[in-house]
């Protein structure tokens, strides 16, 4: 079965750039998307189709996907961006999530 | 505004059954693939099942295949998940999710299913 691998945690200082990676076999050949989940809340889509932002998502959120790695980049990270982030891709009629990355802003 | 609201969660014994429902509003339900995604409290997300707009196709994660059944009522804008032969490892919050452009763009608030004797 297909697997997506994320680092368990990433730390960044406020105002700096956070990068969260997601690795999978030939992931660049698939569409990757990213979700933000804050404690007690449902996940929120922040990037779809590798690099597209849904309406209402700040421009500081961006994405890329090539080769075996998709990356979520948060520029000018704010304390309110602290959350769990999950990548996701579709493979062979099933949907797969990465294990999630806890972003700490301190 | 799009709204999805799950119901039907609760405590069920191992080997028992439970049916989850999801009512939606604010979008044309019959025009979208719909999914169920679950999350063990404090853990990651796991896709469970999906169903095509006209219910002509369904797919399941291997761990629930043959035990869970996803279905929909496009007249009443309802999504269902029939859970049979449940196991302790099915304990999770279950989310009803709308798919668009290969992404899950709307989520319900979730309903907790606890499998325990």
């Amino acid at each position: 079965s297909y697997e997506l691998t994320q680092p368990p945690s990433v730390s960044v200082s406020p105002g700096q750039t956070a990068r969260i990676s997601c690795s999978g076999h030939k992931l660049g050949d698939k569409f990757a998307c990213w979700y933000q989940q804050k404690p007690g809340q449902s996940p929120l889509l922040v990037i779809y189709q590798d690099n597209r932002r849904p309406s209402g998502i700040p421009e500081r959120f961006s994405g890329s996907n090539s080769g075996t790695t998709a990356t979520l980049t948060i520029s000018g990270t704010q304390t309110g961006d602290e959350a769990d982030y999950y990548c996701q891709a579709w493979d062979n009629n099933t949907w797969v999530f990465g294990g999630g990355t806890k972003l700490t802003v301190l | 505004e799009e709204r999805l609201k799950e119901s039907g969660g609760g405590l069920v014994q191992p080997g028992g059954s439970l049916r989850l429902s999801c009512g939606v509003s604010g979008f044309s339900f019959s025009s979208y693939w719909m999914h169920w995604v679950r999350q063990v409290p404090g853990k990651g997300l796991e896709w469970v099942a999906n169903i095509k707009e006209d219910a002509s196709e369904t797919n399941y994660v291997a761990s629930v295949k043959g035990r869970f059944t996803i279905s929909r009522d496009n007249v009443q804008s309802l999504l269902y998940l029939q859970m049979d032969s449940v196991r302790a490892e099915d304990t999770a919050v279950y989310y009803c999710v709308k798919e668009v452009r290969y992404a899950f763009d709307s989520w319900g608030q979730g309903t907790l299913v606890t499998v325990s004797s």
Side-chain angles (χ1 to χ4, degrees):
Chain A
S1 62
Y2 195 75
E3 293 184 359
L4 294 173
T5 301
Q6 299 180 235
S9 62
V10 168
S11 296
V12 65
S13 300
Q16 298 304 302
T17 297
R19 293 181 179 85
I20 301 173
S21 63
C22 173
S23 299
H25 179 65
K26 295 186 177 180
L27 179 56
D29 293 343
K30 312 176 191 299
F31 277 136
C33 51
W34 292 89
Y35 302 89
Q36 175 194 71
Q37 187 178 32
K38 296 181 179 180
Q41 297 184 15
S42 300
L44 172 70
L45 179 68
V46 295
I47 293 290
Y48 68 99
Q49 289 185 357
D50 297 338
N51 53 22
R52 302 173 74 93
R53 276 179 295 104
S55 174
I57 300 302
E59 290 185 10
R60 64 177 184 276
F61 287 85
S62 62
S64 63
N65 185 18
S66 179
T68 62
T69 303
T71 302
L72 173 69
T73 301
I74 309 173
S75 304
T77 307
Q78 301 178 0
T79 55
D81 298 330
E82 191 163 283
D84 294 326
Y85 290 85
Y86 297 90
C87 61
Q88 181 201 43
W90 178 87
D91 177 77
N92 194 26
N93 287 332
T94 63
W95 292 86
V96 180
F97 288 96
T101 298
K102 181 175 181 59
L103 177 66
T104 301
V105 183
L106 44 68
Chain B
E1 181 185 0
E2 299 182 354
R3 290 185 183 274
L4 301 86
K5 185 172 176 60
E6 305 88 344
S7 60
L11 178 64
V12 58
Q13 293 188 342
S17 296
L18 204 63
R19 188 175 85 156
L20 306 184
S21 300
C22 173
V24 313
S25 62
F27 64 94
S28 178
F29 178 72
S30 61
S31 298
Y32 296 94
W33 281 79
M34 295 296 296
H35 300 247
W36 287 98
V37 173
R38 67 185 179 184
Q39 183 173 36
V40 174
K43 302 298 184 182
L45 300 169
E46 180 182 39
W47 174 80
V48 174
N50 68 357
I51 185 166
K52 196 174 180 179
E53 297 97 331
D54 61 359
S56 62
E57 180 179 343
T58 59
N59 297 287
Y60 300 89
V61 68
S63 59
V64 309
K65 206 170 290 187
R67 300 188 299 119
F68 290 10
T69 303
I70 187 172
S71 61
R72 65 192 297 162
D73 180 338
N74 283 345
V75 174
Q76 299 198 65
S77 297
L78 289 167
L79 179 71
Y80 301 104
L81 185 68
Q82 177 67 40
M83 306 170 61
D84 297 321
S85 303
V86 296
R87 306 166 181 167
E89 54 264 37
D90 296 321
T91 294
V93 174
Y94 285 73
Y95 294 101
C96 166
V97 183
K98 166 178 162 277
E99 178 200 331
V100 64
R101 294 184 292 264
Y102 293 96
F104 297 170
D105 71 327
S106 289
W107 297 64
Q109 88 287 351
T111 187
L112 177 62
V113 172
T114 303
V115 181
S116 175
S117 55

